[in-house]
Amino acid sequence: MRQCSFPSPWKSAIIRPLNKVSAPTTCRDFRPISILPTLSKGLERVVHCQITEFINNNNILSDYQSGFRAAHSTETALLRVAEDIKLSMERRQGTILTLFDFSKAFDCVNHELLLQKLRAIGFSQNALLWLRSYLSDRRQCVEVGDKRSDWETVTCGVPQGSILGPLLFVLYANDINSTLVHCKYHMYANDLLQIYHNFTANNINDSVQKINEDIIQLVIWTEKHGLLLNHEKTKPMIICHPRFRSSVDFENIR
């Protein structure tokens, strides 16, 4: 750590594909599991503790990020969004909710952009040099049974199966709220982003327009950051009380 470098022998990962379905036929039917050197995780854990202390002391992470942090979980994410929806019902409002899913988000992180973000939030020069060493010159191969592919260089992304990878991604996506002007949101790590906007019976079209404006800015942000939205798992929905539903003209939503 004093030398601001990460040992080169610990930068190699073996990828073992596990079946997602009982009878896989395409690459999408496999889940790649990254096997990293065990000793590397000990050093990563030390750095993880230092980074976590720094971001907690400086209140860097968004309050609406529930992934990979102490005292947060899927429960805190669900409770926050569910409570906001319940409150809107009590105020005789409905909620337009859009759920976004990112495809292979850990693999798409741009190293230079990540380091720029870390510099902006106050990481020291030595910490940045160490993290650059940690991220760069990595390689991986695929192992199936007793056969291995050739080694290939990894040029982007945070290491899957690592201790630091999830935390670095959370910091990478921490400013996603800067794109949202109208909507509330909650995020769980790399898996799910929920944005939502409340509406009354006579202003649903206005709410649709506002949430669409935020969606456009969100798409621009994901493109700038090299992230991919999974369109198959990205879903909108309208949530409201049954009595409220009868007073809204859903047929003429624009």
Side-chain angles (χ1 to χ4, degrees):
M1 292 175 65
R2 291 194 183 98
Q3 295 173 355
C4 303
S5 65
F6 189 80
S8 296
W10 292 354
K11 297 183 183 182
S12 300
I14 297 173
I15 308 299
R16 292 176 181 165
L18 297 183
N19 294 8
K20 285 185 179 180
V21 296
S22 57
T25 57
T26 68
C27 292
R28 296 179 62 183
D29 295 332
F30 294 93
R31 185 185 309 279
I33 303 300
S34 178
I35 311 299
L36 294 167
T38 303
L39 288 175
S40 68
K41 296 188 178 182
L43 178 55
E44 286 188 58
R45 177 63 67 185
V46 173
V47 176
H48 186 283
C49 290
Q50 294 184 9
I51 294 177
T52 300
E53 181 180 6
F54 172 78
I55 62 179
N56 288 341
N57 290 342
N58 292 278
N59 196 30
I60 289 171
L61 287 184
S62 166
D63 292 335
Y64 306 116
Q65 167 63 267
S66 290
F68 304 117
R69 54 190 305 198
H72 292 74
S73 65
T74 52
E75 289 184 8
T76 57
L78 290 170
L79 286 171
R80 170 74 189 200
V81 176
E83 188 64 21
D84 282 347
I85 292 172
K86 286 171 59 181
L87 289 173
S88 72
M89 289 182 178
E90 292 176 4
R91 294 192 295 264
R92 297 182 180 180
Q93 295 178 330
T95 301
I96 303 175
L97 172 71
T98 304
L99 302 98
F100 297 90
D101 181 84
F102 296 103
S103 297
K104 303 184 183 302
F106 279 8
D107 297 334
C108 298
V109 172
N110 181 299
H111 292 169
E112 290 302 321
L113 185 53
L114 171 60
L115 292 170
Q116 289 175 24
K117 287 172 176 281
L118 298 181
R119 182 180 295 108
I121 62 176
F123 275 51
S124 69
Q125 184 62 25
N126 283 347
L128 293 170
L129 289 172
W130 188 92
L131 286 166
R132 181 181 292 278
S133 174
Y134 170 79
L135 292 168
S136 62
D137 300 322
R138 286 187 168 269
R139 62 176 193 160
Q140 64 185 27
C141 72
V142 178
E143 181 180 83
V144 179
D146 59 351
K147 296 183 179 179
R148 286 187 182 180
S149 70
D150 294 334
W151 290 96
E152 296 290 344
T153 302
V154 180
T155 59
C156 62
V158 293
Q160 290 200 24
S162 65
I163 303 296
L164 281 175
L167 179 61
L168 292 176
F169 178 83
V170 166
L171 291 169
Y172 186 69
N174 190 51
D175 63 345
I176 198 169
N177 63 318
S178 64
T179 68
L180 304 176
V181 176
H182 308 293
C183 296
K184 297 180 181 179
Y185 81 101
H186 209 100
M187 191 172 185
Y188 187 82
N190 61 311
D191 290 325
L192 183 65
L193 168 66
Q194 305 171 80
I195 69 170
Y196 50 102
H197 193 272
N198 299 329
F199 64 93
T200 59
N202 59 359
N203 81 336
I204 186 170
N205 284 321
D206 180 60
S207 291
V208 170
Q209 179 182 346
K210 288 180 177 178
I211 200 169
N212 281 334
E213 288 175 3
D214 278 356
I215 288 173
I216 291 171
Q217 294 304 313
L218 179 62
V219 170
I220 293 172
W221 184 93
T222 58
E223 291 175 349
K224 174 184 175 182
H225 287 71
L227 301 179
L228 302 174
L229 286 172
N230 186 333
H231 299 290
E232 294 179 0
K233 295 182 179 180
T234 296
K235 303 291 183 182
M237 65 178 70
I238 295 177
I239 305 169
C240 59
H241 194 280
R243 290 195 299 271
F244 178 86
R245 184 171 58 213
S246 62
S247 66
V248 180
D249 184 10
F250 289 109
E251 297 298 327
N252 293 314
I253 296 177
R254 295 190 301 273

